[in-house]
Amino acid sequence: MEVRVVQHPLVDHKLTLLRNKLTPQPVFRQLVDELVTLLAYEATFGVRVTEVTIDTPVSRTLGTRLADPAPLVVPILRAGLGMLDGMLRLVPTAEVGFLGMIRDEETLEPMTYAERLPQDLSGRQCYVLDPMLATGGSLGGAVQFLVDRGADDITCVCLLAAPEGIERLQNLLADLKVPCRLVVSAVDEQLNEQGYIVPGLGDAGDRLYGLAQ
Ligand code: PRP
Ligand code: URA
């Protein structure tokens, strides 16, 4: 798996504001949206295109358009939903599938509680949105789900990753043999005993949407 840590002063600036526990919720949401748009530019570097002939007001010329089938964007509920608009801003013709996953706070293992995805993903380029790659259980589960449906090219877009989660994803992908890349704004130091990324930004879902009881 190729890991691409996006290096740009605006990414660092926005990420620092996100990390700050004093950043209010509406500002946090806005910053996630802005940051994802920057990550999406990098993440779509390899989006499949096809050649088209068009007429400008001056002459005929060759150009490019996104290939069929359209890319599939998959936000992992709940927190990944906060990344969707930022991604669709750059790829408005993408289709969207949903996966709902929740991590058990004791075992740290993910549970899938919702799914709305095409049955057949063969030939689809998929973009998975999840702000936090911590233990890697959730993102790994999502990638496995897409591969089982036939996805043959997967890009994971995350705000933050822990080395432990990257390693788990690498191991999974070594077995799956499907091209996959991770685009992320930073790789942090480690996980703490509760499975939170350190220094991280806390609970992404809670900071976006409040406490879900
Ligand atoms: C968070 C986050 C990731 C997951 C990462 O979701 O949004 O999906 O944890 O942890 P992992 O890499 O150890 O699996 P959470 O389960 O808190 O649900 P939420 O998005 O509804 O808040
Ligand atoms: N999920 C989060 O929202 N934050 C973390 O640091 C780890 C998992």
Side-chain angles (χ1 to χ4, degrees):
M1 178 179 71
E2 181 200 344
V3 179
R4 195 164 183 149
V5 183
V6 178
Q7 305 205 314
H8 191 288
L10 280 179
V11 169
D12 296 342
H13 171 77
K14 291 179 198 298
L15 183 59
T16 303
L17 289 167
L18 282 178
R19 290 186 190 279
N20 191 334
K21 67 178 184 184
L22 298 178
T23 298
Q25 195 172 63
V27 181
F28 188 91
R29 270 195 217 130
Q30 175 69 30
L31 285 163
V32 169
D33 183 69
E34 292 170 5
L35 185 48
V36 171
T37 303
L38 297 173
L39 298 182
Y41 179 74
E42 293 277 341
T44 51
F45 185 78
V47 70
R48 291 175 186 149
V49 292
T50 188
E51 214 173 60
V52 284
T53 304
I54 54 134
D55 295 313
T56 78
V58 181
S59 77
R60 182 154 285 195
T61 187
L62 274 182
T64 297
R65 72 163 173 80
L66 294 190
D68 292 325
L72 183 76
V73 177
V74 183
I76 308 298
L77 310 180
R78 161 184 67 139
L81 207 51
M83 302 171 72
L84 182 59
D85 286 351
M87 184 76 189
L88 291 181
R89 190 167 298 120
L90 288 199
V91 198
T93 52
E95 291 181 1
V96 183
F98 296 90
L99 258 184
M101 302 183 97
I102 181 93
R103 190 173 77 151
D104 183 307
E105 293 303 332
E106 297 290 320
T107 65
L108 301 183
E109 284 306 310
M111 193 266 286
T112 304
Y113 61 85
E115 172 265 305
R116 191 83 164 86
L117 286 166
Q119 283 301 323
D120 183 8
L121 292 176
S122 35
R124 295 298 287 262
Q125 263 187 316
C126 296
Y127 293 85
V128 185
L129 310 179
D130 193 346
M132 311 301 274
L133 172 55
T135 65
S138 304
L139 203 53
V143 166
Q144 179 76 61
F145 201 101
L146 298 176
V147 171
D148 289 346
R149 293 262 170 114
D152 65 356
D153 186 89
I154 298 175
T155 301
C156 301
V157 185
C158 298
L159 302 183
L160 280 180
E164 294 91 328
I166 294 178
E167 192 181 338
R168 182 165 170 177
L169 212 50
Q170 297 273 28
N171 291 338
L172 171 74
L173 284 156
D175 293 339
L176 294 179
K177 308 216 177 343
V178 168
C180 186
R181 62 206 65 75
L182 168 69
V183 175
V184 63
S185 30
V187 178
D188 275 6
E189 290 161 21
Q190 60 185 37
L191 296 178
N192 67 15
E193 285 172 1
Q194 289 76 41
Y196 277 84
I197 298 177
V198 180
L201 53 73
D203 189 306
D206 287 355
R207 294 200 64 191
L208 279 163
Y209 301 120
L211 289 168
Q213 298 298 338

